Amino acid sequence: MSTQVAIIGAGPAGLLLSHLLHLQGIESVVLETRSRVEIEATIRAGVLEQGTMDILNQSGIGARMQREGVVHHGFELAFGGQRHRIDLTELTGRAITVYAQHEVIKDLVAARLAADGQIMFEVSDVALHQIDTDTPSVTYRHAGEARRLEADFVIGCDGFHGVSRPAMPTSQRQDFQRIYPFGWFGILVDAPPSSDELIYARHERGFALVSTRSPQVQRLYFQCDPNDDVNQWSDDRIWSELNMRLANHDGWQLKEGKIFQKNIIGMRSFVSTPMQHGRLFLAGDAAHIVPPTGAKGLNLAVSDVRLLARALDRFYATGKQDALNDYTETALKRIWRAEHFSWWMTSLLHTFKEASPFEQQLQRAELDYVVSSRAAATALAENYVGLAFA
Ligand code: FAD
Ligand code: DHB
């Protein structure tokens, strides 16, 4: 089998790229190890930047997001028993939308299949070949059969644990990494929203985040040991911990309900460069990871594929490779900005066991500054809603 662009991974990066290429008349095949049911049920991110919403709308797949997603014009920072509002729209003129990543995935899969797009689910043994040449290929197994997909380009959108990044020569790659000494415990709850806006809370016992999914389902997170076991956390223990971390002096109360999903995610910052080698290009988590505090992971995956779609369009329309050649350099500018912001917001809001009393005072001073200086709040807001696309 052959195609123009072979895409490895049906996450937000791979599916959106396939959709954007289709709109430009470029053919692609997506190879995915998991089933459609699994990718459509995996609970991950929830915050879409304005630029992400814009691209979903402009490419014709934003209808359900517009109906079911909720636009948020601000969020709250809670610390020292008080809540402080960051007014995103007043400070930046922009907003974010809360709409779950797996809903974006459902919309993208539906759009690709409706356009006869090819997504091969439940493939295995994916391997990349000849990426140094103009005729790269990918071998894999599907329904027990060994297959080969020949393409002009291979795009690795297969996440942090995929096979694409390791297919690049290690001698030419540089990885930058920080692993944090904590994780996030995430829960989904049957309950009405506790707050109209997200609450990011800093407490001596650790960070907590109140987010939402719908009028009936809420998403909450709290800082935990990355090696903790969800089975050690009864519902009572979870609510008790969240209530302690979110306690405040203004009478605000967390609304509890039945917890129907629990998971723990590790936290790391990671960038692998270059993001390309020969005819192989990486996008999204395959090339970089941010800790989730700034809600940037999904949005960065979208901005990478936006660049790639544009560069591939230029190549097929004119034969010019300049935009493809510049991909790593262009993408990394936005990626490193998001890496810094995500690290900064993580450092601002989490408790670090090893922090000295001096460092703890610095953290509190930074929080006080962000909620009392318009300039500092604007810098936070501008990064949170996402910088304009180049
Ligand atoms: P992914 O979504 O990881 O998609 C990669 C796809 O490739 C997957 O479907 C995978 O099955 C497939 N794949 C892997 N290996 C192969 C292979 N060899 N062959 C074929 N296919 C393969 N961000 C936030 O902002 N907030 C959050 O709360 C948040 N929570 C997260 C929780 C978890 C458990 C994880 C892993 C990430 C979370 N993120 C969060 C980050 C955000 O979800 C990611 O940045 C986003 O999913 C990146 O999209 P992607 O398409 O690059 O990669
Ligand atoms: C959600 C995830 C985040 O990482 C974040 O910063 C805000 C909200 C969420 O899943 O709702």
mmCIF file of all heavy atoms in Angstrom, residues 33-74:
data_model
loop_
_atom_site.group_PDB
_atom_site.id
_atom_site.type_symbol
_atom_site.label_atom_id
_atom_site.label_comp_id
_atom_site.label_asym_id
_atom_site.label_seq_id
_atom_site.Cartn_x
_atom_site.Cartn_y
_atom_site.Cartn_z
ATOM 1 N N THR A 33 -2.052 1.809 17.393
ATOM 2 C CA THR A 33 -1.976 0.502 18.067
ATOM 3 C C THR A 33 -3.265 0.154 18.820
ATOM 4 O O THR A 33 -3.606 -1.014 18.944
ATOM 5 C CB THR A 33 -0.803 0.464 19.084
ATOM 6 O OG1 THR A 33 -0.811 1.675 19.830
ATOM 7 C CG2 THR A 33 0.519 0.288 18.402
ATOM 8 N N ARG A 34 -3.966 1.167 19.320
ATOM 9 C CA ARG A 34 -5.147 0.866 20.144
ATOM 10 C C ARG A 34 -6.416 0.800 19.290
ATOM 11 O O ARG A 34 -6.392 1.103 18.104
ATOM 12 C CB ARG A 34 -5.279 1.918 21.240
ATOM 13 C CG ARG A 34 -4.076 1.876 22.204
ATOM 14 C CD ARG A 34 -4.233 2.832 23.351
ATOM 15 N NE ARG A 34 -4.320 4.201 22.905
ATOM 16 C CZ ARG A 34 -4.916 5.175 23.596
ATOM 17 N NH1 ARG A 34 -5.473 4.916 24.754
ATOM 18 N NH2 ARG A 34 -4.939 6.411 23.120
ATOM 19 N N SER A 35 -7.523 0.429 19.923
ATOM 20 C CA SER A 35 -8.800 0.345 19.210
ATOM 21 C C SER A 35 -9.474 1.717 19.211
ATOM 22 O O SER A 35 -9.130 2.591 20.013
ATOM 23 C CB SER A 35 -9.720 -0.668 19.887
ATOM 24 O OG SER A 35 -10.112 -0.172 21.153
ATOM 25 N N ARG A 36 -10.477 1.864 18.331
ATOM 26 C CA ARG A 36 -11.230 3.122 18.306
ATOM 27 C C ARG A 36 -11.902 3.356 19.660
ATOM 28 O O ARG A 36 -11.874 4.467 20.191
ATOM 29 C CB ARG A 36 -12.284 3.061 17.186
ATOM 30 C CG ARG A 36 -13.119 4.304 17.126
ATOM 31 C CD ARG A 36 -14.106 4.273 15.976
ATOM 32 N NE ARG A 36 -14.907 5.495 15.955
ATOM 33 C CZ ARG A 36 -15.907 5.716 15.107
ATOM 34 N NH1 ARG A 36 -16.232 4.796 14.231
ATOM 35 N NH2 ARG A 36 -16.583 6.847 15.158
ATOM 36 N N VAL A 37 -12.479 2.308 20.224
ATOM 37 C CA VAL A 37 -13.165 2.438 21.522
ATOM 38 C C VAL A 37 -12.188 2.968 22.579
ATOM 39 O O VAL A 37 -12.512 3.877 23.345
ATOM 40 C CB VAL A 37 -13.759 1.070 21.965
ATOM 41 C CG1 VAL A 37 -14.279 1.123 23.392
ATOM 42 C CG2 VAL A 37 -14.853 0.655 20.997
ATOM 43 N N GLU A 38 -10.981 2.412 22.587
ATOM 44 C CA GLU A 38 -9.993 2.834 23.602
ATOM 45 C C GLU A 38 -9.569 4.296 23.429
ATOM 46 O O GLU A 38 -9.518 5.042 24.408
ATOM 47 C CB GLU A 38 -8.738 1.962 23.473
ATOM 48 C CG GLU A 38 -8.589 0.915 24.544
ATOM 49 C CD GLU A 38 -7.306 0.150 24.316
ATOM 50 O OE1 GLU A 38 -7.232 -0.616 23.326
ATOM 51 O OE2 GLU A 38 -6.361 0.341 25.100
ATOM 52 N N ILE A 39 -9.247 4.685 22.192
ATOM 53 C CA ILE A 39 -8.765 6.074 22.045
ATOM 54 C C ILE A 39 -9.881 7.072 22.354
ATOM 55 O O ILE A 39 -9.633 8.165 22.818
ATOM 56 C CB ILE A 39 -8.108 6.384 20.665
ATOM 57 C CG1 ILE A 39 -9.098 6.286 19.522
ATOM 58 C CG2 ILE A 39 -6.881 5.533 20.422
ATOM 59 C CD1 ILE A 39 -8.603 6.948 18.237
ATOM 60 N N GLU A 40 -11.138 6.644 22.112
ATOM 61 C CA GLU A 40 -12.256 7.563 22.358
ATOM 62 C C GLU A 40 -12.671 7.593 23.827
ATOM 63 O O GLU A 40 -13.549 8.363 24.206
ATOM 64 C CB GLU A 40 -13.454 7.193 21.466
ATOM 65 C CG GLU A 40 -13.160 7.463 19.999
ATOM 66 C CD GLU A 40 -14.352 7.305 19.061
ATOM 67 O OE1 GLU A 40 -15.403 6.763 19.492
ATOM 68 O OE2 GLU A 40 -14.240 7.727 17.915
ATOM 69 N N ALA A 41 -12.047 6.714 24.644
ATOM 70 C CA ALA A 41 -12.448 6.651 26.056
ATOM 71 C C ALA A 41 -11.324 7.070 26.995
ATOM 72 O O ALA A 41 -11.512 7.099 28.210
ATOM 73 C CB ALA A 41 -12.910 5.231 26.394
ATOM 74 N N THR A 42 -10.133 7.385 26.452
ATOM 75 C CA THR A 42 -9.006 7.716 27.332
ATOM 76 C C THR A 42 -9.150 9.149 27.846
ATOM 77 O O THR A 42 -9.219 10.095 27.066
ATOM 78 C CB THR A 42 -7.665 7.543 26.580
ATOM 79 O OG1 THR A 42 -7.629 6.223 26.054
ATOM 80 C CG2 THR A 42 -6.485 7.747 27.518
ATOM 81 N N ILE A 43 -9.198 9.274 29.176
ATOM 82 C CA ILE A 43 -9.419 10.583 29.795
ATOM 83 C C ILE A 43 -8.085 11.300 29.948
ATOM 84 O O ILE A 43 -7.181 10.812 30.625
ATOM 85 C CB ILE A 43 -10.068 10.429 31.199
ATOM 86 C CG1 ILE A 43 -11.352 9.591 31.124
ATOM 87 C CG2 ILE A 43 -10.317 11.792 31.842
ATOM 88 C CD1 ILE A 43 -12.437 10.175 30.258
ATOM 89 N N ARG A 44 -7.969 12.451 29.312
ATOM 90 C CA ARG A 44 -6.734 13.244 29.437
ATOM 91 C C ARG A 44 -7.086 14.710 29.641
ATOM 92 O O ARG A 44 -7.871 15.035 30.523
ATOM 93 C CB ARG A 44 -5.848 13.031 28.225
ATOM 94 C CG ARG A 44 -5.202 11.651 28.238
ATOM 95 C CD ARG A 44 -4.071 11.592 27.246
ATOM 96 N NE ARG A 44 -3.413 10.287 27.254
ATOM 97 C CZ ARG A 44 -2.507 9.944 26.382
ATOM 98 N NH1 ARG A 44 -2.141 10.769 25.414
ATOM 99 N NH2 ARG A 44 -1.932 8.759 26.439
ATOM 100 N N ALA A 45 -6.533 15.571 28.784
ATOM 101 C CA ALA A 45 -6.639 17.015 29.014
ATOM 102 C C ALA A 45 -8.054 17.554 28.816
ATOM 103 O O ALA A 45 -8.926 16.859 28.279
ATOM 104 C CB ALA A 45 -5.686 17.721 28.066
ATOM 105 N N GLY A 46 -8.259 18.819 29.219
ATOM 106 C CA GLY A 46 -9.586 19.407 29.088
ATOM 107 C C GLY A 46 -9.623 20.856 28.646
ATOM 108 O O GLY A 46 -10.692 21.365 28.327
ATOM 109 N N VAL A 47 -8.454 21.519 28.617
ATOM 110 C CA VAL A 47 -8.466 22.957 28.330
ATOM 111 C C VAL A 47 -7.941 23.231 26.919
ATOM 112 O O VAL A 47 -6.819 22.860 26.573
ATOM 113 C CB VAL A 47 -7.595 23.715 29.366
ATOM 114 C CG1 VAL A 47 -7.437 25.178 28.960
ATOM 115 C CG2 VAL A 47 -8.207 23.613 30.753
ATOM 116 N N LEU A 48 -8.762 23.886 26.098
ATOM 117 C CA LEU A 48 -8.347 24.252 24.739
ATOM 118 C C LEU A 48 -8.065 25.749 24.679
ATOM 119 O O LEU A 48 -8.906 26.558 25.067
ATOM 120 C CB LEU A 48 -9.443 23.914 23.733
ATOM 121 C CG LEU A 48 -10.003 22.487 23.740
ATOM 122 C CD1 LEU A 48 -10.993 22.308 22.589
ATOM 123 C CD2 LEU A 48 -8.880 21.467 23.601
ATOM 124 N N GLU A 49 -6.884 26.088 24.171
ATOM 125 C CA GLU A 49 -6.557 27.500 23.972
ATOM 126 C C GLU A 49 -7.445 28.070 22.874
ATOM 127 O O GLU A 49 -7.945 27.332 22.025
ATOM 128 C CB GLU A 49 -5.106 27.650 23.495
ATOM 129 C CG GLU A 49 -4.072 27.296 24.515
ATOM 130 C CD GLU A 49 -2.658 27.387 23.928
ATOM 131 O OE1 GLU A 49 -2.507 27.686 22.720
ATOM 132 O OE2 GLU A 49 -1.710 27.166 24.684
ATOM 133 N N GLN A 50 -7.531 29.384 22.855
ATOM 134 C CA GLN A 50 -8.304 30.050 21.800
ATOM 135 C C GLN A 50 -7.809 29.643 20.410
ATOM 136 O O GLN A 50 -8.601 29.362 19.512
ATOM 137 C CB GLN A 50 -8.177 31.566 21.977
ATOM 138 C CG GLN A 50 -8.881 32.339 20.899
ATOM 139 C CD GLN A 50 -10.034 33.160 21.428
ATOM 140 O OE1 GLN A 50 -10.012 33.657 22.562
ATOM 141 N NE2 GLN A 50 -11.043 33.309 20.623
ATOM 142 N N GLY A 51 -6.498 29.570 20.221
ATOM 143 C CA GLY A 51 -5.939 29.219 18.905
ATOM 144 C C GLY A 51 -6.311 27.796 18.502
ATOM 145 O O GLY A 51 -6.507 27.504 17.324
ATOM 146 N N THR A 52 -6.407 26.904 19.489
ATOM 147 C CA THR A 52 -6.818 25.517 19.207
ATOM 148 C C THR A 52 -8.281 25.490 18.784
ATOM 149 O O THR A 52 -8.655 24.834 17.806
ATOM 150 C CB THR A 52 -6.589 24.650 20.462
ATOM 151 O OG1 THR A 52 -5.199 24.686 20.781
ATOM 152 C CG2 THR A 52 -7.028 23.214 20.252
ATOM 153 N N MET A 53 -9.119 26.251 19.537
ATOM 154 C CA MET A 53 -10.532 26.339 19.149
ATOM 155 C C MET A 53 -10.652 26.894 17.726
ATOM 156 O O MET A 53 -11.436 26.394 16.922
ATOM 157 C CB MET A 53 -11.276 27.322 20.070
ATOM 158 C CG MET A 53 -11.668 26.745 21.397
ATOM 159 S SD MET A 53 -11.381 27.901 22.730
ATOM 160 C CE MET A 53 -12.211 29.376 22.263
ATOM 161 N N ASP A 54 -9.886 27.938 17.443
ATOM 162 C CA ASP A 54 -9.974 28.581 16.128
ATOM 163 C C ASP A 54 -9.672 27.575 15.016
ATOM 164 O O ASP A 54 -10.383 27.514 14.014
ATOM 165 C CB ASP A 54 -8.996 29.763 16.020
ATOM 166 C CG ASP A 54 -9.389 30.921 16.941
ATOM 167 O OD1 ASP A 54 -10.532 30.911 17.451
ATOM 168 O OD2 ASP A 54 -8.543 31.817 17.165
ATOM 169 N N ILE A 55 -8.630 26.773 15.210
ATOM 170 C CA ILE A 55 -8.263 25.863 14.124
ATOM 171 C C ILE A 55 -9.299 24.741 13.975
ATOM 172 O O ILE A 55 -9.627 24.325 12.857
ATOM 173 C CB ILE A 55 -6.821 25.324 14.297
ATOM 174 C CG1 ILE A 55 -6.365 24.640 13.031
ATOM 175 C CG2 ILE A 55 -6.677 24.403 15.452
ATOM 176 C CD1 ILE A 55 -4.894 24.455 12.964
ATOM 177 N N LEU A 56 -9.871 24.291 15.091
ATOM 178 C CA LEU A 56 -10.926 23.270 14.996
ATOM 179 C C LEU A 56 -12.146 23.862 14.279
ATOM 180 O O LEU A 56 -12.749 23.220 13.420
ATOM 181 C CB LEU A 56 -11.299 22.735 16.380
ATOM 182 C CG LEU A 56 -10.172 21.997 17.145
ATOM 183 C CD1 LEU A 56 -10.652 21.540 18.518
ATOM 184 C CD2 LEU A 56 -9.650 20.795 16.362
ATOM 185 N N ASN A 57 -12.486 25.097 14.608
ATOM 186 C CA ASN A 57 -13.627 25.748 13.946
ATOM 187 C C ASN A 57 -13.356 25.975 12.463
ATOM 188 O O ASN A 57 -14.172 25.621 11.611
ATOM 189 C CB ASN A 57 -13.944 27.086 14.616
ATOM 190 C CG ASN A 57 -14.662 26.891 15.946
ATOM 191 O OD1 ASN A 57 -15.437 25.944 16.106
ATOM 192 N ND2 ASN A 57 -14.414 27.773 16.903
ATOM 193 N N GLN A 58 -12.178 26.541 12.167
ATOM 194 C CA GLN A 58 -11.865 26.858 10.760
ATOM 195 C C GLN A 58 -11.804 25.608 9.897
ATOM 196 O O GLN A 58 -12.082 25.655 8.705
ATOM 197 C CB GLN A 58 -10.516 27.575 10.670
ATOM 198 C CG GLN A 58 -10.571 29.032 11.107
ATOM 199 C CD GLN A 58 -9.191 29.543 11.561
ATOM 200 O OE1 GLN A 58 -8.173 28.906 11.300
ATOM 201 N NE2 GLN A 58 -9.178 30.669 12.250
ATOM 202 N N SER A 59 -11.422 24.473 10.516
ATOM 203 C CA SER A 59 -11.296 23.261 9.697
ATOM 204 C C SER A 59 -12.587 22.441 9.715
ATOM 205 O O SER A 59 -12.606 21.290 9.271
ATOM 206 C CB SER A 59 -10.092 22.433 10.154
ATOM 207 O OG SER A 59 -10.306 21.945 11.447
ATOM 208 N N GLY A 60 -13.650 23.041 10.257
ATOM 209 C CA GLY A 60 -14.978 22.439 10.099
ATOM 210 C C GLY A 60 -15.336 21.350 11.087
ATOM 211 O O GLY A 60 -16.292 20.610 10.874
ATOM 212 N N ILE A 61 -14.569 21.239 12.188
ATOM 213 C CA ILE A 61 -14.945 20.180 13.130
ATOM 214 C C ILE A 61 -15.251 20.730 14.525
ATOM 215 O O ILE A 61 -15.211 20.001 15.517
ATOM 216 C CB ILE A 61 -13.862 19.082 13.241
ATOM 217 C CG1 ILE A 61 -12.485 19.706 13.385
ATOM 218 C CG2 ILE A 61 -13.881 18.136 12.055
ATOM 219 C CD1 ILE A 61 -11.572 18.785 14.066
ATOM 220 N N GLY A 62 -15.608 22.029 14.574
ATOM 221 C CA GLY A 62 -15.834 22.657 15.879
ATOM 222 C C GLY A 62 -17.286 22.695 16.337
ATOM 223 O O GLY A 62 -17.568 23.204 17.423
ATOM 224 N N ALA A 63 -18.208 22.128 15.541
ATOM 225 C CA ALA A 63 -19.637 22.327 15.850
ATOM 226 C C ALA A 63 -20.021 21.798 17.235
ATOM 227 O O ALA A 63 -20.647 22.502 18.031
ATOM 228 C CB ALA A 63 -20.497 21.674 14.769
ATOM 229 N N ARG A 64 -19.612 20.548 17.528
ATOM 230 C CA ARG A 64 -20.001 19.980 18.831
ATOM 231 C C ARG A 64 -19.264 20.689 19.974
ATOM 232 O O ARG A 64 -19.820 20.926 21.048
ATOM 233 C CB ARG A 64 -19.725 18.467 18.847
ATOM 234 C CG ARG A 64 -20.551 17.739 19.909
ATOM 235 C CD ARG A 64 -20.551 16.244 19.645
ATOM 236 N NE ARG A 64 -19.238 15.639 19.782
ATOM 237 C CZ ARG A 64 -18.780 15.105 20.908
ATOM 238 N NH1 ARG A 64 -19.496 15.112 22.005
ATOM 239 N NH2 ARG A 64 -17.570 14.562 20.942
ATOM 240 N N MET A 65 -17.998 21.057 19.708
ATOM 241 C CA MET A 65 -17.236 21.808 20.725
ATOM 242 C C MET A 65 -17.957 23.117 21.051
ATOM 243 O O MET A 65 -18.038 23.511 22.217
ATOM 244 C CB MET A 65 -15.827 22.079 20.211
ATOM 245 C CG MET A 65 -14.995 22.980 21.107
ATOM 246 S SD MET A 65 -13.433 23.404 20.334
ATOM 247 C CE MET A 65 -13.980 24.526 19.055
ATOM 248 N N GLN A 66 -18.484 23.781 20.012
ATOM 249 C CA GLN A 66 -19.186 25.049 20.259
ATOM 250 C C GLN A 66 -20.464 24.830 21.063
ATOM 251 O O GLN A 66 -20.824 25.645 21.894
ATOM 252 C CB GLN A 66 -19.532 25.721 18.939
ATOM 253 C CG GLN A 66 -18.342 26.421 18.330
ATOM 254 C CD GLN A 66 -18.711 27.120 17.029
ATOM 255 O OE1 GLN A 66 -19.809 27.607 16.864
ATOM 256 N NE2 GLN A 66 -17.773 27.137 16.110
ATOM 257 N N ARG A 67 -21.130 23.690 20.820
ATOM 258 C CA ARG A 67 -22.374 23.402 21.544
ATOM 259 C C ARG A 67 -22.109 22.932 22.964
ATOM 260 O O ARG A 67 -22.746 23.358 23.907
ATOM 261 C CB ARG A 67 -23.143 22.276 20.828
ATOM 262 C CG ARG A 67 -23.996 22.715 19.667
ATOM 263 C CD ARG A 67 -25.049 21.653 19.334
ATOM 264 N NE ARG A 67 -24.547 20.277 19.247
ATOM 265 C CZ ARG A 67 -23.989 19.747 18.154
ATOM 266 N NH1 ARG A 67 -23.842 20.480 17.071
ATOM 267 N NH2 ARG A 67 -23.579 18.492 18.150
ATOM 268 N N GLU A 68 -21.138 22.010 23.109
ATOM 269 C CA GLU A 68 -20.984 21.325 24.396
ATOM 270 C C GLU A 68 -19.810 21.837 25.231
ATOM 271 O O GLU A 68 -19.786 21.624 26.437
ATOM 272 C CB GLU A 68 -20.836 19.810 24.164
ATOM 273 C CG GLU A 68 -22.099 19.225 23.551
ATOM 274 C CD GLU A 68 -21.963 17.745 23.188
ATOM 275 O OE1 GLU A 68 -21.067 17.066 23.732
ATOM 276 O OE2 GLU A 68 -22.742 17.281 22.334
ATOM 277 N N GLY A 69 -18.833 22.467 24.583
ATOM 278 C CA GLY A 69 -17.711 23.021 25.343
ATOM 279 C C GLY A 69 -18.170 24.285 26.057
ATOM 280 O O GLY A 69 -19.157 24.894 25.662
ATOM 281 N N VAL A 70 -17.446 24.648 27.099
ATOM 282 C CA VAL A 70 -17.831 25.857 27.835
ATOM 283 C C VAL A 70 -16.675 26.853 27.784
ATOM 284 O O VAL A 70 -15.536 26.512 28.143
ATOM 285 C CB VAL A 70 -18.189 25.527 29.304
ATOM 286 C CG1 VAL A 70 -18.556 26.792 30.064
ATOM 287 C CG2 VAL A 70 -19.348 24.539 29.343
ATOM 288 N N VAL A 71 -16.965 28.060 27.313
ATOM 289 C CA VAL A 71 -15.936 29.103 27.243
ATOM 290 C C VAL A 71 -15.727 29.671 28.643
ATOM 291 O O VAL A 71 -16.687 29.987 29.344
ATOM 292 C CB VAL A 71 -16.369 30.222 26.266
ATOM 293 C CG1 VAL A 71 -15.340 31.354 26.247
ATOM 294 C CG2 VAL A 71 -16.553 29.659 24.861
ATOM 295 N N HIS A 72 -14.463 29.737 29.072
ATOM 296 C CA HIS A 72 -14.130 30.317 30.379
ATOM 297 C C HIS A 72 -13.337 31.606 30.160
ATOM 298 O O HIS A 72 -12.328 31.586 29.458
ATOM 299 C CB HIS A 72 -13.286 29.337 31.201
ATOM 300 C CG HIS A 72 -14.075 28.180 31.751
ATOM 301 N ND1 HIS A 72 -13.966 27.751 33.046
ATOM 302 C CD2 HIS A 72 -14.988 27.376 31.165
ATOM 303 C CE1 HIS A 72 -14.782 26.730 33.239
ATOM 304 N NE2 HIS A 72 -15.412 26.474 32.111
ATOM 305 N N HIS A 73 -13.790 32.672 30.792
ATOM 306 C CA HIS A 73 -13.121 33.967 30.629
ATOM 307 C C HIS A 73 -12.127 34.256 31.744
ATOM 308 O O HIS A 73 -11.494 35.307 31.757
ATOM 309 C CB HIS A 73 -14.159 35.080 30.535
ATOM 310 C CG HIS A 73 -15.015 34.954 29.310
ATOM 311 N ND1 HIS A 73 -14.560 35.298 28.054
ATOM 312 C CD2 HIS A 73 -16.269 34.479 29.139
ATOM 313 C CE1 HIS A 73 -15.504 35.053 27.162
ATOM 314 N NE2 HIS A 73 -16.546 34.551 27.794
ATOM 315 N N GLY A 74 -12.036 33.346 32.701
ATOM 316 C CA GLY A 74 -11.087 33.558 33.788
ATOM 317 C C GLY A 74 -10.899 32.267 34.568
ATOM 318 O O GLY A 74 -11.544 31.254 34.274
#
